[in-house]
Amino acid sequence: MAKPQEKVSFGQRLKQIGMVFKFTAKQDRWFAPLVAGAVLIPLALTVVAVILWGWLWLPLGILFTLLAVLIVLNLRSNAAMMNAAEGQPGAAAQIMESMRGDWRVTPAVNSTTQMDMVHLVIGRPGVILLAEGNPQRVRGLLGQEKRRLAKVIGNAPLHDYVIGQGEGELPVRKLRMTLMRLPRALSGKDVNSLDKRLKALTARPQMPKGAIPKNMRPPRGAFRQSRGR
């Protein structure tokens, strides 16, 4: 079950918007001129409306100005984040974790020391594998994951993508739109059931930390006896 979202105060929301403004302004040189236009054009029209038809147009003009600024911020900040994420290891998993909707993301279910990785995503379209890194190496990782998942996913659709700019690869900026356009083949119950099965498959047993209890230690000389056989 999804965790209830924590309420964000008005001050925290303003701080988040300020951080997005700063980040977008650094990444996008057209952001500041577009914001200025989004402010000046509606305000100029508001002044004209107030002169012609009265002060009742002032609140509406202010609302339209704020709406125009938010639209510019949303469009340009998304583009700036996509540009910043391009080529960064793990970018695909971060984008999926920030997407709205019921997307179950497990980053780097398979990886190499050269920062090649495959992320596992479960959602209404089915099972999705996202590979990042060297195209030749990640295709081998994708093949391994497909064979492993085929044992437990049943009839659920399996989609796989290699993130990159090459031929046959999916640019990270098109990831959201591509996955949102996939047909919804599973119900919410199917997603929960599939998520449980895949978590059991991907779970790796870990050795307990600390010293091994005495009753679990092998008897003295056991290793020497096994060597002598």
Side-chain angles (χ1 to χ4, degrees):
M1 296 178 63
K3 295 181 180 179
Q5 294 183 351
E6 297 181 358
K7 293 184 177 181
V8 180
S9 66
F10 181 72
Q12 291 175 328
R13 183 71 66 185
L14 287 179
K15 185 179 293 186
Q16 291 175 354
I17 294 175
M19 293 173 62
V20 174
F21 259 93
K22 291 180 181 179
F23 171 80
T24 308
K26 289 181 180 179
Q27 298 289 330
D28 186 358
R29 62 191 181 97
W30 292 105
F31 177 65
L34 289 173
V35 170
V39 172
L40 294 177
I41 294 174
L43 285 182
L45 295 176
T46 301
V47 171
V48 174
V50 169
I51 294 173
L52 295 178
W53 297 293
W55 290 97
L56 291 176
W57 285 90
L58 181 61
L60 289 176
I62 294 174
L63 289 177
F64 278 122
T65 302
L66 292 175
L67 179 60
V69 171
L70 289 177
I71 290 174
V72 172
L73 176 63
N74 182 53
L75 294 176
R76 305 305 292 190
S77 63
N78 285 336
M81 284 189 286
M82 292 299 114
N83 290 333
E86 199 78 51
Q88 297 294 325
Q94 293 178 3
I95 291 173
M96 290 303 306
E97 289 174 339
S98 66
M99 281 181 59
R100 294 180 180 180
D102 189 11
W103 301 96
R104 320 288 176 89
V105 184
T106 306
V109 292
N110 201 343
S111 60
T112 68
T113 56
Q114 290 86 12
M115 300 302 291
D116 308 307
M117 58 190 74
V118 175
H119 314 297
L120 172 64
V121 181
I122 308 169
R124 296 290 299 276
V127 180
I128 304 166
L129 294 174
L130 303 175
E132 295 184 273
N134 181 277
Q136 295 180 351
R137 291 195 297 262
V138 296
R139 292 188 192 282
L141 296 180
L142 278 176
Q144 295 175 10
E145 286 304 306
K146 287 181 180 180
R147 290 190 293 271
R148 193 167 68 107
L149 296 177
K151 304 174 183 178
V152 293
I153 65 174
N155 295 325
L158 176 60
H159 310 273
D160 63 276
Y161 301 94
V162 176
I163 305 300
Q165 296 291 333
E167 185 178 355
E169 298 174 356
L170 178 64
V172 70
R173 64 179 66 249
K174 295 183 179 181
L175 176 60
R176 287 183 179 179
M177 189 61 64
T178 300
L179 298 193
M180 291 299 294
R181 289 177 177 175
L182 291 175
R184 270 37 182 174
L186 302 180
S187 65
K189 292 182 179 179
D190 294 334
V191 172
N192 288 331
S193 176
L194 189 59
D195 188 25
K196 291 179 181 178
R197 296 203 303 269
L198 292 184
K199 280 182 177 177
L201 177 68
T202 56
R204 295 182 175 89
Q206 296 181 353
M207 291 294 294
K209 296 182 180 180
I212 300 176
K214 292 183 178 180
N215 59 351
M216 295 181 64
R217 294 176 182 173
R220 292 182 179 181
F223 292 116
R224 282 178 290 185
Q225 292 176 5
S226 62
R227 290 177 185 173
R229 292 178 181 177

